[in-house]
Amino acid sequence: MRMVTYLRTILLSLAVFYFLSSCSPSSTDIMDPKGPAANSIASLGWVFFILGGLIFLAVMGYLAYALLVPRSGATGPRGTLIVILAGMAAPGIVLLILFVLNTNVLRDIRTPGEDEAAAVIEVVGHQWWWEVNYQNPQLETANEIHIPVGKPVLLKLTSKDVVHSFWVPELHGKMDLIPGRVNTFWIQADEPGQFTGECAEYCGLQHAKMLFVVVAEPQEEYDAWVEQMQRPAVEPEDDSAQEGREVFLSTTCIQCHTIRGTHATGNLGPDLTHLASRQRIGAGILPLNRANLGGWVANPHGVKPGVQMPPAEIDGEDFQALLDYLLTLE
Ligand code: CUA
């Protein structure tokens, strides 16, 4: 009866764990790799899991045999031989095999040189968003990294404030962003798609809301995106958007944000030159649409308490015009 209760508790816990683990907005599955580095790491993970499982079963089996079969323990020279074989030789061989496999994976995930990389991107961590400065080709954006499919992309990771960690589970392991230091890292996706990245080092109140997306796309689409990003901001055409630009340029917005082609050149917050081309706002936490953008600009702390951005003190028509303008920035 007690056994049944135990079993039920274990199964229930597993079920709860399973359902809670799917609470995250998009899949970030380390066991479903989409790039060569993540693939090597996942394969090694399976080897460790299966080998460890088999050894665990063998040890438990031997323990059960020793406990249940009376006077089954070997003594004398036979006992010594068992200790040498099962206690020293076998673990030695297993550790040696794992060491060699580990070394192979380290070689597979070696960071490529700048000349081998399809792009070189500096990623700067901020509380709580990601500054993305492409060095080759040259462009600036935030919280969204586009890469060409099937090619390695070199990353130079650093931070403006505290330690963060760059992690796209389906593409590679984690790498820290440390103030005053540049860590080189790389990612590669072997199929087109969108991969969610997150900060993997506790960095303050909104650590959990420090997301980004990696968009892997065919070379032509990537090239088109680069070309679009390199252009200065579009000139607003309709009256309201033009008015919105005046509102933007006459408020404190410009102290933190850059819109290339205007006199807004702040660099404390994300570059907004092509804001409307991005899928999400607030470092990945909300889809970009008029309602979310309005809520965010009017009261960022309502969405992300503690965020550095102050609420905009703009109302009525000016506020609507400002949204009209921001949504033209493709
Ligand atoms: Cu940035 Cu956690």
Side-chain angles (χ1 to χ4, degrees):
M1 200 55 216
R2 228 156 129 211
M3 200 65 188
V4 175
T5 317
Y6 278 141
L7 211 62
R8 220 169 39 198
T9 313
I10 291 172
L11 285 178
L12 200 66
S13 313
L14 284 176
V16 168
F17 179 73
Y18 176 79
F19 285 113
L20 285 182
S21 68
S22 54
C23 280
S24 135
S26 58
S27 82
T28 48
D29 189 351
I30 51 167
M31 286 316 198
D32 185 21
K34 295 285 163 37
N39 208 3
S40 293
I41 294 170
S43 306
L44 187 66
W46 281 116
V47 171
F48 268 68
F49 177 68
I50 292 169
L51 202 60
L54 290 175
I55 293 169
F56 176 76
L57 290 179
V59 171
M60 288 301 120
Y62 196 67
L63 184 66
Y65 172 74
L67 289 174
L68 297 176
V69 181
R71 260 175 276 143
S72 58
T75 49
R78 196 166 149 254
T80 312
L81 188 69
I82 289 177
V83 168
I84 290 173
L85 288 181
M88 293 161 82
I93 292 168
V94 169
L95 289 176
L96 192 69
I97 293 171
L98 291 179
F99 174 74
V100 171
L101 291 174
N102 249 315
T103 325
N104 281 343
V105 169
L106 283 179
R107 195 194 51 210
D108 289 349
I109 65 174
R110 169 195 74 89
T111 305
E114 278 195 35
D115 47 332
E116 300 165 75
V120 179
I121 311 169
E122 180 196 49
V123 179
V124 186
H126 293 261
Q127 283 174 319
W128 294 277
W129 61 281
W130 307 83
E131 180 183 340
V132 180
N133 300 325
Y134 282 62
Q135 296 179 337
N136 175 28
Q138 274 210 328
L139 65 96
E140 274 170 40
T141 182
N143 305 320
E144 196 171 297
I145 300 173
H146 286 236
I147 59 172
V149 168
K151 294 176 185 163
V153 167
L154 191 71
L155 301 169
K156 295 180 174 180
L157 307 175
T158 187
S159 168
K160 273 277 161 67
D161 37 48
V162 299
V163 178
H164 304 272
S165 186
F166 182 99
W167 191 30
V168 189
E170 287 154 302
L171 301 184
H172 204 328
K174 305 168 187 175
M175 180 60 85
D176 280 357
L177 293 84
I178 299 168
R181 196 196 138 88
V182 177
N183 281 339
T184 55
F185 198 52
W186 68 292
I187 47 173
Q188 176 176 330
D190 285 336
E191 52 187 82
Q194 304 217 1
F195 308 102
T196 301
E198 55 198 70
C199 181
E201 178 73 41
Y202 182 71
C203 56
L205 195 57
Q206 295 299 336
H207 156 70
K209 289 183 180 169
M210 187 168 166
L211 307 173
F212 61 99
V213 63
V214 173
V215 181
E217 52 202 357
Q219 187 71 45
E220 313 83 72
E221 282 175 39
Y222 169 74
D223 290 341
W225 177 83
V226 167
E227 206 202 318
Q228 186 200 348
M229 289 299 118
Q230 287 175 329
R231 281 200 289 263
V234 287
E235 288 291 314
E237 276 169 16
D238 70 274
D239 292 350
S240 179
Q242 281 175 6
E243 204 185 301
R245 181 169 66 176
E246 294 320 307
V247 172
F248 183 90
L249 293 175
S250 61
T251 61
T252 49
C253 301
I254 58 172
Q255 288 173 6
C256 296
H257 295 288
T258 289
I259 295 183
R260 271 179 294 124
T262 73
H263 68 257
T265 53
N267 59 5
L268 293 174
D271 185 302
L272 301 180
T273 311
H274 297 287
L275 169 72
S277 75
R278 301 204 278 264
Q279 302 169 21
R280 304 182 78 84
I281 54 169
I285 59 169
L286 290 171
L288 173 65
N289 58 42
R290 193 182 179 91
N292 285 342
L293 186 64
W296 172 257
V297 174
N299 183 17
H301 294 257
V303 189
K304 213 166 162 177
V307 71
Q308 312 258 353
M309 177 160 149
E313 276 156 13
I314 305 165
D315 34 43
E317 266 176 40
D318 280 355
F319 187 74
Q320 294 306 325
L322 176 67
L323 293 184
D324 285 337
Y325 173 56
L326 292 175
L327 289 167
T328 64
L329 297 174
E330 294 216 333

